[in-house]
């Protein structure tokens, strides 16, 4: 009979459990808020899967960070990595929408020079997104990170022959950001506060989507 790798501690669940125990054992002097940040587990949810039910905010646990995969026409320049946006659930009537930066690519040369991020690369939850900072006025808000991997300042919806041997690459920032905005509209029918922030290319995304 085959052994259950998770029960033995070698599968994904076992590794996560050991990691969480290690955090508690090796960081005895860390603040409870910082321990909670370290223990936040990325949970995948797919908008196109019926069993995920549209990834509603009401089903989310505030102890987790959620990776929401829109599917459909969402895409990264590096098509080997599917697009997702991140959600840290919090207040049901307060939303902080953050547009990630990451350069821009407007032709084959800038793409091959690596002037833009081409795959989903989550960054740290810091600054206004640091939900463990007691002095952060947004710490209790639901936070949505619109990740960026399209090189088009969250506004493109086209394809270009910039790949190897003229392979067509997808610039779908409009579709990517639109999926995150649509999810927010569906899950926040009544808002008392809405804040949009962005950096670098994300600041231009804010202007487009505001």
């Amino acid at each position: 009979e085959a052994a259950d790798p998770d029960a033995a501690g070698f599968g994904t669940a076992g590794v996560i459990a050991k990691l969480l125990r290690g955090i508690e054992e090796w960081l005895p002097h860390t603040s409870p808020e910082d321990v909670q940040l370290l223990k936040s587990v990325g949970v995948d949810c797919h908008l196109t899967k019926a069993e995920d039910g549209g990834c509603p905010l009401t089903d989310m646990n505030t102890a987790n960070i959620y990776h929401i995969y829109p599917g459909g026409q969402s895409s990264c320049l590096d098509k080997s990595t599917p697009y997702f946006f991140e959600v840290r659930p919090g207040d049901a009537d307060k939303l902080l929408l953050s547009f990630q930066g990451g350069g821009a690519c407007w032709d084959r040369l800038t793409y091959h020079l690596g002037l833009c991020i081409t795959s989903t690369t989550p960054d740290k939850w810091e600054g206004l997104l640091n939900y463990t900072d007691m002095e952060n006025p947004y710490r209790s808000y639901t936070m949505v990170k619109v990740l960026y991997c399209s090189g088009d300042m969250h506004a493109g919806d086209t394809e270009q022959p910039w790949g190897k041997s003229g392979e067509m690459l997808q610039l779908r920032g409009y579709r990517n950001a639109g999926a995150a905005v649509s999810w927010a509209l569906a899950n926040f029918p009544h808002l008392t506060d809405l804040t949009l922030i962005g950096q670098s290319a994300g600041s231009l995304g804010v202007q487009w989507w505001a």
Side-chain angles (χ1 to χ4, degrees):
E1 182 180 354
D4 182 350
D6 281 342
F10 297 109
T12 301
V15 169
I16 290 175
K18 287 184 177 180
L19 174 62
L20 298 186
R21 286 197 299 271
I23 288 171
E24 294 170 342
E25 293 171 1
W26 289 97
L27 298 177
H29 303 298
T30 302
S31 70
E33 292 80 10
D34 286 343
V35 168
Q36 186 59 52
L37 176 61
L38 289 169
K39 291 171 66 175
S40 296
V41 177
V43 177
D44 291 348
C45 191
H46 297 260
L47 294 178
T48 56
K49 290 185 177 180
E51 60 267 29
D52 286 347
C55 310
L57 180 67
T58 51
D59 287 355
M60 294 183 178
N61 187 324
T62 57
N64 296 329
I65 302 297
Y66 290 81
H67 299 163
I68 311 297
Y69 292 82
Q73 291 184 296
S74 66
S75 181
C76 291
L77 280 168
D78 178 359
K79 63 182 182 181
S80 69
T81 58
Y83 179 77
F84 65 88
F85 59 91
E86 292 186 299
V87 176
R88 186 268 168 178
D91 295 332
D93 62 343
K94 296 174 183 162
L95 175 63
L96 178 63
L97 196 61
S98 174
F99 288 78
Q100 186 183 40
C105 292
W106 55 89
D107 57 20
R108 182 179 178 88
L109 176 61
T110 52
Y111 169 75
H112 285 280
L113 286 175
L115 298 188
C116 60
I117 293 176
T118 62
S119 60
T120 42
T121 309
D123 45 21
K124 295 180 180 179
W125 294 81
E126 57 187 4
L128 295 180
L129 296 169
N130 186 348
Y131 54 87
T132 69
D133 183 357
M134 296 298 293
E135 296 184 359
N136 180 7
Y138 297 100
R139 68 185 304 270
S140 68
Y141 283 43
T142 292
M143 300 176 180
V144 175
K145 279 188 182 180
V146 184
L147 299 184
Y148 179 59
C149 61
S150 52
D152 55 10
M153 297 165 286
H154 297 279
D157 192 16
T158 188
E159 59 181 11
Q160 296 290 345
W162 299 343
K164 186 177 181 180
S165 301
E167 177 190 8
M168 300 300 289
L169 301 182
Q170 304 298 311
L171 287 80
R172 301 297 179 189
Y174 177 81
R175 301 286 179 177
N176 298 346
V181 170
S182 294
W183 180 90
L185 288 171
N187 283 273
F188 291 88
H190 305 289
L191 281 172
T192 61
D193 196 279
L194 170 64
T195 302
L196 277 66
I197 62 174
Q199 60 178 345
S200 184
S203 64
L204 297 174
V206 168
Q207 296 178 55
W208 176 263
W209 286 98

